[in-house]
């Protein structure tokens, strides 16, 4: 069996040979974050990768994230080291079911959270991130808006807009698992700590938060707050980066249960193998890619930011 150092050396050689970059989502295991060229949220990573002259992108994240990279960089090879890394939230709605929802509300435009498949993005009018969802919704002239696929994010957005939102019953199982009681328990153990939660969490959890933010927003809040202790209500991979970037602060998971098994499939060996064998190549058919690109681009053209 090879040592860790040998695998790291192979990855470096293969990266050079393939003119490749490695992207790691904020929820990846520490080892993967450490070897990545870029760590971040899915849109940020895909946009930054598109701006490089790399021929190959190894995306250590879940399938919809690799698809986003392929949508923005059709000329590059996008690899997902382990194909099992799907996303249950993205899988909760299909293009066909979204079409049916549209038929029920023909006047309502569709706003789709970036946490969705390429096909669903292609069927949408405009995308949003958790950070800019309210601004995207408010930018539309219609009063009634279809918002998919995450109902918790939808409820959160509904609090800050006068628009009527038609929500889809999708949710992220990793965020859904966190309950009010879990947060109260950790708050009791760390009474000085500020609680930051991702808007994919339930409303009963968001009601307890000092700050509700995307993964990038959580990172900037942690950096900027004077608080020395923080309770983090999102997938626990976030704690690795938070601790690394803020060695003077203490971070506690809101619950040990907040682990996304899909995010944890990628390993150093699989990254090495993906570069060696050029697997698993994520291709989005051109017709779908072009439509999905338009939905993402309409959001970007609003210039309402995507990361707070
Ligand atoms: O798009 C992403 O990276 C996700 C799913 C969440 C976030 O808040 O960054």
């Amino acid at each position: 069996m090879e040592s860790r150092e040998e695998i790291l050396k192979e990855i470096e050689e293969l990266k050079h040979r393939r003119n490749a970059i490695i992207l790691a989502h904020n929820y990846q295991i520490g080892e993967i974050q450490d070897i990545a060229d870029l760590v971040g949220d899915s849109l940020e990573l895909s946009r930054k990768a598109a701006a490089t002259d790399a021929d190959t992108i190894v995306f250590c994240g879940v399938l919809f994230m690799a698809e986003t990279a392929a949508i923005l960089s059709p000329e590059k090879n996008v690899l997902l080291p382990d194909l099992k890394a799907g996303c249950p939230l993205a899988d909760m709605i299909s293009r066909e079911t979204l079409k049916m929802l549209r038929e029920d509300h023909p006047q309502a435009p569709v706003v789709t959270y970036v946490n969705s498949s390429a096909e669903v993005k292609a069927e949408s009018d405009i995308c949003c991130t958790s950070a800019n969802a309210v601004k995207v919704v408010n930018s539309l002239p219609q009063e009634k808006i279809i918002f998919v696929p995450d109902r918790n994010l939808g409820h959160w957005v509904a609090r800050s807009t006068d628009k009527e939102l038609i929500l889809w019953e999708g949710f992220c199982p990793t965020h859904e698992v966190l309950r009010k009681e879990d947060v109260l328990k950790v708050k009791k153990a760390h009474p000085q700590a500020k609680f930051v939660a991702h808007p994919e969490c339930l409303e009963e959890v968001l009601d307890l938060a000092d700050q509700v933010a995307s993964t990038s927003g959580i990172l900037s809040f942690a950096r900027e707050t004077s608080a020395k202790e923080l309770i983090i209500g999102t997938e626990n991979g976030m704690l690795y980066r938070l601790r690394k970037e803020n060695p003077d602060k203490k971070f506690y998971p809101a619950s040990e249960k907040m682990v996304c098994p899909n995010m944890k499939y990628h390993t150093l060996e699989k990254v090495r193998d993906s570069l060696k064998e050029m697997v698993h190549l994520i291709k989005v058919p051109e017709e779908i890619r072009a439509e999905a690109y338009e939905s993402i681009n309409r959001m970007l053209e609003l210039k309402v930011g995507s990361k707070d």
Side-chain angles (χ1 to χ4, degrees):
M1 213 174 93
E2 294 138 304
S3 68
R4 189 172 175 277
E5 283 61 41
E6 283 166 334
I7 297 171
L8 291 177
K9 193 163 167 262
E10 269 187 276
I11 290 175
E12 271 316 305
E13 285 165 6
L14 286 160
K15 258 179 69 177
H16 188 70
R17 186 169 359 133
R18 304 287 193 197
N19 187 24
I21 51 168
I22 299 174
L23 309 182
H25 189 266
N26 290 321
Y27 297 157
Q28 288 297 296
I29 56 169
E31 271 197 327
I32 296 284
Q33 295 195 28
D34 285 344
I35 58 147
D37 297 285
L38 298 165
V39 183
D41 66 60
S42 64
L43 187 66
E44 171 191 14
L45 289 172
S46 300
R47 291 183 77 190
K48 285 185 176 163
T52 69
D53 62 4
D55 295 316
T56 298
I57 297 172
V58 181
F59 207 126
C60 299
V62 291
L63 177 62
F64 82 82
M65 300 181 174
E67 283 186 340
T68 305
I71 291 165
L72 298 191
S73 298
E75 74 294 354
K76 300 190 198 300
N77 298 307
V78 179
L79 306 175
L80 187 67
D82 191 323
L83 258 193
K84 291 194 292 303
C87 170
L89 168 58
D91 292 344
M92 283 180 195
I93 189 162
S94 65
R95 187 168 196 165
E96 285 60 43
T97 44
L98 180 54
K99 272 188 185 160
M100 276 154 50
L101 190 60
R102 260 189 189 287
E103 278 163 20
D104 291 342
H105 308 279
Q107 309 303 330
V110 176
V111 174
T112 296
Y113 182 31
V114 287
N115 198 330
S116 52
S117 68
E119 288 212 1
V120 167
K121 286 186 177 81
E123 188 59 33
S124 309
D125 293 286
I126 187 164
C127 284
C128 72
T129 64
S130 56
N132 66 21
V134 174
K135 288 178 183 157
V136 170
V137 162
N138 286 339
S139 76
L140 299 168
Q142 295 86 345
E143 285 310 311
K144 216 183 202 186
I145 287 159
I146 297 171
F147 188 92
V148 300
D150 190 296
R151 63 149 142 75
N152 293 335
L153 175 60
H155 285 302
W156 175 247
V157 173
R159 289 185 185 195
S160 309
T161 180
D162 293 332
K163 309 265 180 186
E164 183 190 336
L165 298 187
I166 298 146
L167 301 182
W168 184 253
E169 278 299 308
F171 60 89
C172 162
T174 302
H175 286 87
E176 186 91 353
V177 87
L178 182 64
R179 298 297 149 128
K180 183 180 172 178
E181 294 70 38
D182 301 311
V183 180
L184 292 174
K185 205 166 134 197
V186 188
K187 270 179 170 271
K188 197 169 171 204
H190 306 287
Q192 308 301 330
K194 290 237 186 280
F195 173 47
V196 200
H198 195 281
E200 289 176 26
C201 292
L202 289 167
E203 274 190 299
E204 64 176 41
V205 166
L206 300 182
D207 284 341
L208 298 173
D210 296 293
Q211 182 78 15
V212 175
S214 66
T215 57
S216 297
I218 293 174
L219 285 158
S220 34
F221 181 80
R223 211 167 25 242
E224 285 154 23
T225 180
S226 57
K228 290 285 174 209
E229 294 180 67
L230 289 103
I231 300 165
I232 304 300
T234 193
E235 207 283 334
N236 286 347
M238 271 302 289
L239 280 98
Y240 182 79
R241 183 166 172 195
L242 285 164
R243 288 177 178 141
K244 194 169 164 181
E245 290 184 3
N246 304 276
D248 58 324
K249 297 184 180 176
K250 288 203 168 99
F251 297 94
Y252 313 109
S255 163
E256 296 291 349
K257 293 175 288 188
M258 295 189 80
V259 176
C260 170
N262 297 287
M263 283 284 178
K264 312 304 177 197
Y265 279 125
H266 308 305
T267 60
L268 292 181
E269 287 83 351
K270 288 178 194 170
V271 169
R272 187 257 332 263
D273 294 347
S274 75
L275 279 166
K276 200 190 258 178
E277 291 150 31
M278 292 299 278
V279 290
H280 302 273
L281 194 57
I282 305 303
K283 281 269 170 223
V284 178
E286 180 50 27
E287 203 182 316
I288 294 167
R289 191 203 69 78
E291 288 177 313
Y293 180 84
E294 277 311 309
S295 298
I296 294 174
N297 203 36
R298 276 185 216 113
M299 164 185 70
L300 298 177
E301 280 177 348
L302 288 178
K303 300 202 186 316
V304 288
S306 62
K307 290 182 58 180
D308 301 326

